[in-house]
Amino acid sequence: MIKRILVIEDEQNVAAFIKQGLCESGYEVFLAYESLQGLELLKQKEIDLLILDVILPGMSGILIAEKIRELGYKNLPIIMLTALGTTENIVKGLDSGADDYLVKPFKFKELLARIRALSRRHESSIVINQKLTILDLELDKDAKIVKRSGDEIKLTSTEFRLLEFLLKNKNRVLSRIDILENVWDISFNPGTNVVDVYVNYLRNKIDKDCKPKLIHTVIGMGYTLREPADNED
């Protein structure tokens, strides 16, 4: 359960607003106004979730997220805040290790919804320990390892969640909205192409040099992970 939240945000008014709302919602909150102070607090306190601004003095939020993952905080949920809401910026933030991405300005109730969603995801990942497979592709949820034909495939946290969702729903056609709401737990702008970007990332890693292809596009409907029919490659 998420109880203790670290907020790294250099705009003090924004930081105070977030802290007040979170405290009123029952969370214990720690504030840092720059990157090194935030990293030090993370080491000193038992933090359950990090809210991280992208533009910070000293070190950007992108670099902080990467550093945190390198330091071994693999399962720490990270919500990234930014005024930059293009698909390119969203993908860059998620690739750095963030679990979710919230564009400023935002409604506080949306931030709370994101926190609750990450809390549910975090709890389910602790309880459930299983392997998901199709043909020679295997995903180990507990070890966070993906293999195809016995060879390990390196995935980002977002790519891993996307593949996990596709495997859990193999042979089903999943719309882009289905994927957005389940991989990111909450809807981005329905017009975003972030789903297509990440499906292509996965294809390049698990299908590009392997046969048969497992990820299929259903035109006008979405994507599916399935074994190919006899007349397909």
Side-chain angles (χ1 to χ4, degrees):
M1 181 181 296
I2 291 175
K3 294 182 178 180
R4 297 158 66 89
I5 297 176
L6 171 61
V7 179
I8 307 179
E9 166 63 71
D10 66 317
E11 295 183 45
Q12 296 192 19
N13 290 337
V14 175
F17 164 74
I18 293 173
K19 180 176 181 178
Q20 180 179 348
L22 291 176
C23 289
E24 290 175 356
S25 300
Y27 296 101
E28 184 177 359
V29 182
F30 303 92
L31 286 185
Y33 302 114
E34 52 89 20
S35 53
L36 295 180
Q37 180 189 14
L39 289 173
E40 192 60 32
L41 278 172
L42 183 61
K43 295 175 184 177
Q44 294 174 1
K45 310 292 183 182
E46 294 183 9
I47 301 299
D48 302 315
L49 180 139
L50 173 62
I51 297 173
L52 176 63
D53 189 29
V54 169
I55 302 175
L56 292 166
M59 184 186 299
S60 73
I62 299 292
L63 293 177
I64 293 174
E66 292 174 348
K67 181 69 172 177
I68 286 170
R69 297 308 188 206
E70 290 172 2
L71 289 172
Y73 296 93
K74 301 296 185 184
N75 297 317
L76 176 69
I78 299 175
I79 298 176
M80 197 163 279
L81 306 179
T82 183
L84 308 173
T86 66
T87 297
E88 180 182 359
N89 286 307
I90 291 171
V91 170
K92 188 174 182 181
L94 295 171
D95 280 352
S96 71
D99 297 278
D100 210 340
Y101 198 101
L102 197 54
V103 178
K104 297 177 180 178
F106 56 85
K107 294 181 179 179
F108 187 75
K109 64 181 181 180
E110 184 178 2
L111 176 60
L112 288 178
R114 304 283 180 115
I115 292 171
R116 289 193 297 268
L118 284 173
S119 182
R120 290 193 299 271
R121 182 195 300 166
H122 181 66
E123 289 169 9
S124 65
S125 70
I126 294 173
V127 173
I128 301 172
N129 176 16
Q130 60 179 321
K131 292 182 180 180
L132 302 173
T133 62
I134 182 171
L135 293 181
D136 58 345
L137 178 66
E138 177 183 290
L139 180 148
D140 187 322
K141 292 184 62 177
D142 189 50
K144 297 291 188 289
I145 291 174
V146 172
K147 292 183 180 180
R148 184 151 191 197
S149 298
D151 296 325
E152 186 172 344
I153 299 170
K154 298 295 185 183
L155 300 182
T156 66
S157 59
T158 304
E159 291 166 353
F160 188 93
R161 291 199 306 273
L162 174 57
L163 180 59
E164 180 182 346
F165 182 62
L166 292 173
L167 278 165
K168 284 181 176 178
N169 294 276
K170 60 186 177 184
N171 302 316
R172 286 184 55 198
V173 177
L174 301 168
S175 70
R176 289 168 177 80
I177 296 299
D178 289 332
I179 295 171
L180 280 172
E181 291 182 346
N182 286 275
V183 175
W184 285 275
D185 291 310
I186 205 138
S187 295
F188 283 113
N189 182 338
T192 181
N193 66 339
V194 70
V195 170
D196 308 276
V197 170
Y198 273 92
V199 168
N200 284 331
Y201 283 174
L202 268 187
R203 277 181 163 147
N204 285 331
K205 291 186 177 182
I206 72 170
D207 272 352
K208 184 177 180 181
D209 299 318
C210 298
K211 291 186 178 181
K213 306 305 180 188
L214 298 175
I215 300 175
H216 303 269
T217 301
V218 182
I219 296 174
M221 298 180 70
Y223 298 100
T224 182
L225 182 76
R226 61 172 170 79
E227 299 180 24
D230 292 338
N231 61 344
E232 292 180 311
D233 185 10

